């Protein structure tokens, strides 16, 4: 049977809940786990600098996660949903007894030889990564909260990625301190829990063919974000074509206008 990742555009008949869930799952074919950069990582083909580049750039995405979840909460009028969704923010920012995912990623950075200061400075974040992540954060902040929730459904496929790293990195990259794997272990359970809530929202609100296709389009947008991040890293770290490489070898690209310490004007 042919795999379906989208509804026929002229369709007016909605999929059954089971078929709609399966259509969402079929989007996993485009998850960034299948990107050549990720596959090279899993096969032990990245050198130290390339792996460090991935950790540093992915950290920009990790730091954004609680910010986008806070934006979703701000747009959500339903208290019951907020009570459940807020756990995602705490998972990353931390709470009493749990340092959180951001801290765990900083530990991963240290395990691959990067200082916390270097990660927090965002000095290694490539423009293509920054633009993709910022586009996602803007979408979540401006979209209805239900659509923002649906965009999180790439978590359907995340446990496989985390498990893959736990299984392959110790063999291929024995120089990495095992303490750095805490983030991947932590997210195995959290992602499975979170995705059930996201699916519950999607299945509850997407009751027409048009709304189901909208959800599939939103999920594809999020997949585009993750894939584009790795495209930028491929150019910079595997093909040796970092931004402005035909003009200079210096990293002249901007470091994030939103976090600049000075402004041209005061609001």
């Amino acid at each position: 049977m042919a795999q379906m990742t989208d509804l026929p555009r002229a369709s007016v008949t909605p999929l059954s809940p089971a078929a709609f869930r399966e259509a969402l799952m079929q989007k996993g074919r485009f998850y960034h786990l299948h990107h050549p950069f990720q596959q090279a990582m899993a096969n032990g083909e990245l050198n130290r600098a390339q792996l460090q580049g991935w950790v540093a750039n992915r950290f920009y995405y990790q730091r954004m996660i609680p910010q986008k979840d806070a934006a979703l909460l701000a747009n959500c009028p339903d208290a019951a949903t907020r009570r459940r969704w807020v756990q995602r923010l705490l998972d990353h920012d931390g709470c009493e007894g749990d340092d959180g995912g951001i801290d765990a990623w900083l530990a991963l950075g240290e395990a691959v030889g990067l200082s916390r200061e270097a990660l927090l400075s965002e000095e290694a974040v490539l423009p293509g990564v920054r633009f993709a992540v910022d586009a996602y954060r803007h979408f979540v902040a401006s979209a209805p909260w239900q659509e923002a929730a649906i965009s999180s459904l790439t978590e359907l496929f995340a446990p496989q990625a985390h498990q893959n790293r736990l299984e392959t990195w110790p063999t291929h990259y024995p120089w990495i301190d095992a303490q750095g794997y805490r983030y991947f272990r932590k997210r195995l359970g959290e992602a499975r829990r979170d995705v059930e809530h996201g699916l519950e929202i999607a299945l509850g609100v997407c009751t027409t063919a048009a709304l189901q296709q909208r959800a599939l389009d939103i999920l594809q947008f999020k997949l585009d974000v993750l894939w584009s991040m790795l495209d930028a890293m491929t150019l910079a770290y595997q093909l040796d074509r970092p931004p402005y490489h035909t003009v200079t070898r210096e990293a002249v690209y901007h470091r994030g206008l939103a976090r600049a310490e000075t402004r041209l004007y005061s609001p």
Side-chain angles (χ1 to χ4, degrees), residues 82-94:
R82 293 198 304 269
R83 282 193 295 269
R84 292 178 66 181
W85 202 274
V86 74
Q87 184 60 50
R88 297 168 180 250
L89 193 154
L90 298 175
D91 287 342
H92 282 82
D93 276 346

Side-chain angles (χ1 to χ4, degrees), residues 246-266:
T246 59
V247 180
T248 179
R249 301 302 294 187
E250 294 183 36
V252 298
Y253 42 86
H254 81 286
R255 296 299 195 273
L257 301 179
R259 292 193 173 95
E261 294 181 357
T262 59
R263 297 288 189 273
L264 297 179
Y265 66 93
S266 297

Side-chain angles (χ1 to χ4, degrees), residues 198-262:
L199 276 173
E200 180 183 316
I201 293 170
L203 294 172
V205 302
C206 298
T207 56
T208 69
L211 290 174
Q212 289 175 346
Q213 184 58 56
R214 174 66 176 169
L216 292 167
D217 290 342
I218 290 169
L219 181 53
Q220 186 61 57
F221 159 71
K222 176 63 179 306
L223 292 164
D224 294 348
V225 167
L226 297 173
W227 197 274
S228 296
M229 291 169 61
L230 290 178
D231 282 346
M233 287 183 250
T234 296
L235 281 171
Y237 304 132
Q238 289 184 299
L239 301 180
D240 194 29
R241 295 179 180 179
Y244 305 104
H245 68 279
T246 59
V247 180
T248 179
R249 301 302 294 187
E250 294 183 36
V252 298
Y253 42 86
H254 81 286
R255 296 299 195 273
L257 301 179
R259 292 193 173 95
E261 294 181 357
T262 59

